[in-house]
Amino acid sequence: MKVIKVNLKERSYDIIVGHNLLALSGRYLSSLKIGNSAYIITNSLIKIKYGNILERSLRKHGIASRFKLIPDSEKSKSLSIASSVIRDLARYDNRKKVFVIAFGGGVAGDLAGFVSSIYKRGVPYVQIPTTLLAQVDSSIGGKTAVDLAEAKNLAGSFYQPKMVLSDVKLLSSLNKRQIGAGLAEVIKYGIIRDKNLFSYLEKNMPKILALKRGALEYIVYACGKIKADIVSKDEREKKGMRTILNFGHTAAHAIEAACGYGKYNHGEAVGLGMLVASGISDKIGLLKPGMPARIEKIIKTAGLPTKISNVPLTKIISAHYRDKKFIGSKNRFVLLRDIGRTKILCDVPLALIKKEIKARF
Ligand SMILES: NC(=O)c1ccc[n+]([C@@H]2O[C@H](COP(=O)([O-])OP(=O)(O)OC[C@H]3O[C@@H](n4cnc5c(N)ncnc54)[C@H](O)[C@@H]3O)[C@@H](O)[C@H]2O)c1
Ligand SMILES: [Zn+2]
């Protein structure tokens, strides 16, 4: 078991990474002294698989619980579901000291965080992430949100959890595509910040794909440390440090939007987006020779697509121009000099962007 500290003064918290932590969740959560009634937001699949272990451990440590089941879909990140969850929580919270547990992937995490941030102007919540993506990314940093018809994640808040419990044993029931979705972000952390992590991925991808305990603990801890460090320095994305976390995401958002959400999951689009960004970095002479090939190889070995199919290039380009990450009318790319060294560039020529996206067809 390893602990990472997110340093945010009075909002500081620990990320605990280990194997079989869920069975000890009651002990960890009771030590926080945030309440004796847990309102667990999850979906039925996760409740069936793991609900008993969580409930039993909480009970053993004097914490009562109630499960609130939400649909297993991005559609759960909506104002209408948030409102029904809040009303249900209000009915449960009758003279109790209640706190919320976000138990699931990024969908449960984002919704539960959002609900916790606005119910009674904020009640404590903890994250127990159950997907690789949620363990390395969405459970850390306090970004909560629901989607609006106009765009994804448009209504939200910054609201930090009191603890993140990342039990890698829970990842054993994920399928290959769900693992790939998280691995794209893991590769991203290696590329933007950590040469050792990148080399580890080059050497150990088969162990990760086989969901070996040691390999999963290594990557979840390494990524958690990087995200915790960036968030500690730039909690609200005001100083530009969180921007590097968007490496690969400019083109990824355009690919997701152009293809319709669902054809490529977010991680697959990020894999393609990282190839576009490394291609641009290479063409403008920023990136060390040999690097684009290494990056492409690691994305391939993770089982992520390296080619785009069945969508017109023009659709991706127009989606790119609608992206909210544009500053004024300028595009903004996180580019690379080397593994671990990024550079943010505005106004990358459209012809170059087109060329690099085209290279992915
Ligand atoms: N807040 C942030 O900083 C942040 C960062 C990145 C992504 N996100 C958000 O995260 C969401 C995506 O998260 P996700 O990829 O975890 O998706 P998800 O929550 O939909 O989970 C993916 C699928 O895996 C299933 N699942 C979860 N845990 C499982 C387990 N242990 N075993 C078997 N199946 C399991 C879920 O039921 C679901 O069908 C998006 O809404 C995205 O906007 C938020
Ligand atoms: Zn992402």
Side-chain angles (χ1 to χ4, degrees), residues 254-264 311 315:
I255 293 166
E256 283 180 290
C259 299
Y261 290 94
K263 176 167 172 19
Y264 293 108
V311 55
K315 227 175 150 187

Side-chain angles (χ1 to χ4, degrees), residues 134-270:
Q135 294 193 355
V136 299
D137 190 357
S138 60
S139 66
I140 308 164
K143 273 193 185 178
T144 85
V146 294
D147 304 331
L148 304 185
E150 286 72 13
K152 243 174 88 74
N153 294 325
L154 212 54
S157 56
F158 283 98
Y159 191 62
Q160 302 294 344
K162 297 290 180 197
M163 178 175 271
V164 180
L165 270 187
S166 282
D167 180 352
V168 299
K169 195 177 178 187
L170 306 180
L171 307 181
S172 60
S173 48
L174 293 172
N175 65 33
K176 277 217 149 53
R177 232 181 141 196
Q178 291 161 339
I179 290 290
L183 270 180
E185 304 287 353
V186 173
I187 294 169
K188 177 194 80 179
Y189 285 113
I191 293 176
I192 60 172
R193 253 303 174 82
D194 190 341
K195 272 192 167 148
N196 293 337
L197 172 60
F198 192 81
S199 316
Y200 183 88
L201 296 173
E202 288 185 312
K203 291 192 197 100
N204 294 286
M205 197 55 88
K207 285 190 194 154
I208 298 169
L209 293 174
L211 305 180
K212 296 281 184 221
R213 170 185 169 172
L216 292 176
E217 282 179 311
Y218 182 95
I219 58 172
V220 171
Y221 178 75
C223 297
K225 251 186 112 57
I226 295 168
K227 184 140 187 199
D229 180 52
I230 293 173
V231 166
S232 296
K233 290 178 179 143
D234 187 14
E235 182 182 11
R236 292 186 166 234
E237 216 165 348
K238 288 268 162 48
K239 300 178 195 157
M241 286 161 197
R242 265 182 104 144
T243 309
I244 64 166
L245 293 168
N246 288 326
F247 176 68
H249 282 60
T250 313
H253 290 146
I255 293 166
E256 283 180 290
C259 299
Y261 290 94
K263 176 167 172 19
Y264 293 108
N265 66 35
H266 178 67
E268 291 162 348
V270 169

Side-chain angles (χ1 to χ4, degrees), residues 43 45-46 49-50 72 74 77 105-107 110 130-131 133 137-138 143 152-153 170 173-174 178 227:
N43 68 38
L45 182 139
I46 297 162
K49 278 191 192 307
Y50 302 112
D72 183 3
E74 177 76 22
K77 281 177 55 176
V107 165
D110 281 11
T130 64
T131 62
L133 179 113
D137 190 357
S138 60
K143 273 193 185 178
K152 243 174 88 74
N153 294 325
L170 306 180
S173 48
L174 293 172
Q178 291 161 339
K227 184 140 187 199

